[in-house]
Amino acid sequence: MKQSDLRNVIKLGADLNVRGPSGRPLLLDLLREELALARAARVLDVGCGSGEVTREQAELLAHRTIVGLDVSSDMVAHARAANAHERVSYTVADLANGGPLRDHFQVATATMALHWPGPDPAFLAGVLSLIEPGGLF
């Protein structure tokens, strides 16, 4: 991804209403390009909320296992019910306070999570603790 593209995504605030050339949300098109380059087998979607983006990731990224994580048990319950996918699992964890997740991932995405807590060092350290060496966030 070019730096100018990344800046534009940040300016858009991860607005899922902005469409890319595929007709899908622009953010997902750019994410697909990045993850294709990373060749990640396991992807963590931090702050998955209701799971729409998590499910979209699974549909776009063939042969990847996606774990959607959110601090809200209500959101995870909704994601499990409304956005189930054979390669997606959803879990509740609070990464800012040492959540119970102990898996490791090649890539972590946070399409919406950084809007809510802001640049919380404990949250970011929690995410980074789950990324394998050389992984992407």
Side-chain angles (χ1 to χ4, degrees), residues 46-49 70-71 75 110-120 123:
V46 180
C48 68
D70 203 279
V71 70
M75 293 305 287
T111 56
M112 302 305 264
L114 297 178
H115 294 283
W116 296 107
D120 175 17
F123 170 77

Side-chain angles (χ1 to χ4, degrees), residues 52-119:
E52 286 94 353
V53 172
T54 312
R55 187 197 68 241
E56 288 273 354
Q57 287 180 19
E59 291 173 3
L60 286 172
L61 304 169
H63 312 295
R64 267 64 167 208
T65 299
I66 316 289
V67 175
L69 178 144
D70 203 279
V71 70
S72 167
S73 59
D74 289 341
M75 293 305 287
V76 168
H78 176 79
R80 287 176 178 151
N83 289 297
H85 189 281
E86 64 185 10
R87 288 182 289 104
V88 172
S89 62
Y90 295 100
T91 190
V92 177
D94 181 355
L95 296 181
N97 294 302
L101 193 63
R102 299 292 176 237
D103 293 340
H104 286 89
F105 302 85
Q106 292 86 29
V107 172
T109 63
T111 56
M112 302 305 264
L114 297 178
H115 294 283
W116 296 107

